[in-house]
Amino acid sequence: MNQIVTKGIVLARVNFGEADRIVTMLTPDHGKIRLMAKGVRRIKSKLAGGIELYSVSDITYIKGRGDIDTLVSSRLQKHFSNIAKDIDRTMAGYEMIKRLDKATEESPESEYYDLLEKAFEALDDSTVSLDVIWLWFTMQLLRFDGHAPNLKTDDAGQKLDVSNAYQFNHDHMAFAAHENGKFDADHIKFLRLGFAGTQAKILQMVQGSGELTSAVLPLVNDMASAYIRN
C-alpha cells in the first residue's frame, strides 16, 4: 500500500462509530481530503494529538477505494494555542474554517492552505485587530475567486484621482466619482494593500488602520455576500 506523506489543517471532524472519527483536512498539495481516524477517540490514541483544531500537522495516510482515506499517523507540527484563549478569536477561527471549506472545491489551489495558516498566525497574535484579520481574510477569498475590485480606474475607465471622492459601483466592481462619496484616496490605497495579498499584520501597521478598516469592511463584506459561497 502506498502511503502519502503531507501536512494538513483540520476543517471538520465528525464522530463515527464508537471510537473513530472522519476528519476533513486541507493540504497544500492534495487539496481537501477526508480521512478515517480509527480509534482516535480512545484515551491512548496516538492519532488524537495530530488532528487538533487551529493546528498544522504532519500526516501520513493511505488512499481508500472510495472518497474516504485512512489516516496512518499524525504529528502536531504547530499549534496556535493563543486562539483558544480568546472566545472571539476562537469563534472567528471556526467561522473562517467553515467559510473556506464552503468556498473551495475538492482540489483547491495551495494558496487556500497558505491563507488558512496565515489566518491562524494572525489570530494567534493579540496585537492584530480581529476586524483587520476579517477584512484581510475576506479580501483574499475574493481575490482567489477572481472577484477583486478594480482599484486602478473608475467605472468610466478613468484613472482614479487622489483629489476625488468616490462611491462604489457594485455592478462594475469599481469606484465612481461622486461629490458626496464616502471613500477617498486613503481608503483606496488601503484596499490596494489588502488585495495585493499582504499579511493581516501589515494592514494593522498602516496609520489609521482602525478607522480605515471600519470604513471599508462593510464594503468588502458586501462583495463577499455577492460572490463567495456561504
Side-chain angles (χ1 to χ4, degrees):
M1 293 183 289
N2 293 326
Q3 295 186 348
I4 299 173
V5 178
T6 185
K7 59 181 180 177
I9 296 173
V10 173
L11 296 178
R13 302 181 298 185
V14 178
N15 290 342
F16 184 83
E18 294 184 0
D20 304 337
R21 182 172 283 158
I22 297 174
V23 183
T24 301
M25 299 192 81
L26 183 64
T27 72
D29 46 4
H30 296 281
K32 285 196 292 190
I33 55 176
R34 298 179 71 207
L35 303 171
M36 178 65 73
K38 296 182 178 179
V40 73
R41 289 154 57 203
R42 294 193 179 100
I43 295 176
K44 295 184 179 180
S45 172
K46 295 181 179 180
L47 297 176
I51 54 171
E52 293 293 324
L53 292 175
Y54 314 123
S55 302
V56 175
S57 297
D58 295 316
I59 60 173
T60 301
Y61 69 96
I62 298 172
K63 292 289 294 181
R65 293 182 179 179
D67 62 350
I68 301 179
D69 305 323
T70 300
L71 183 65
V72 175
S73 68
S74 60
R75 182 177 62 85
L76 200 64
Q77 181 190 101
K78 187 188 306 181
H79 179 55
F80 301 96
S81 58
N82 288 333
I83 297 176
K85 296 176 182 178
D86 183 293
I87 186 61
D88 292 331
R89 288 175 182 264
T90 300
M91 294 307 298
Y94 185 66
E95 287 300 318
M96 288 176 185
I97 288 172
K98 289 201 305 180
R99 184 176 294 189
L100 193 147
D101 190 19
K102 292 179 180 179
T104 56
E105 303 294 339
E106 290 304 309
S107 299
E109 300 295 331
S110 61
E111 58 192 6
Y112 287 98
Y113 174 90
D114 294 335
L115 170 60
L116 191 53
E117 185 172 0
K118 288 178 180 177
F120 287 167
E121 290 175 352
L123 288 170
D124 201 56
D125 185 348
S126 61
T127 68
V128 184
S129 159
L130 196 53
D131 283 345
V132 168
I133 298 171
W134 262 119
L135 174 65
W136 167 82
F137 180 82
T138 308
M139 285 176 170
Q140 308 322 305
L141 286 182
L142 285 163
R143 182 168 65 90
F144 293 169
D145 206 35
H147 294 296
N150 178 0
L151 299 173
K152 294 183 178 180
T153 58
D154 63 20
D155 61 344
Q158 300 298 311
K159 186 177 179 180
L160 295 173
D161 190 333
V162 296
S163 63
N164 283 345
Y166 292 93
Q167 295 284 35
F168 193 77
N169 185 329
H170 285 276
D171 291 334
H172 292 82
M173 284 294 280
F175 285 97
H178 193 288
E179 61 179 353
N180 295 318
K182 60 181 180 179
F183 300 107
D184 59 23
D186 288 337
H187 296 117
I188 294 171
K189 290 176 183 177
F190 193 62
L191 287 168
R192 284 174 179 166
L193 182 62
F195 277 107
T198 187
Q199 296 185 29
K201 193 167 187 175
I202 302 299
L203 283 182
Q204 177 80 40
M205 295 169 64
V206 174
Q207 185 174 2
S209 63
E211 293 180 357
L212 290 169
T213 297
S214 296
V216 302
L217 183 55
L219 172 62
V220 173
N221 283 337
D222 286 344
M223 296 179 197
S225 296
Y227 294 108
I228 297 176
R229 287 184 295 173
N230 294 312

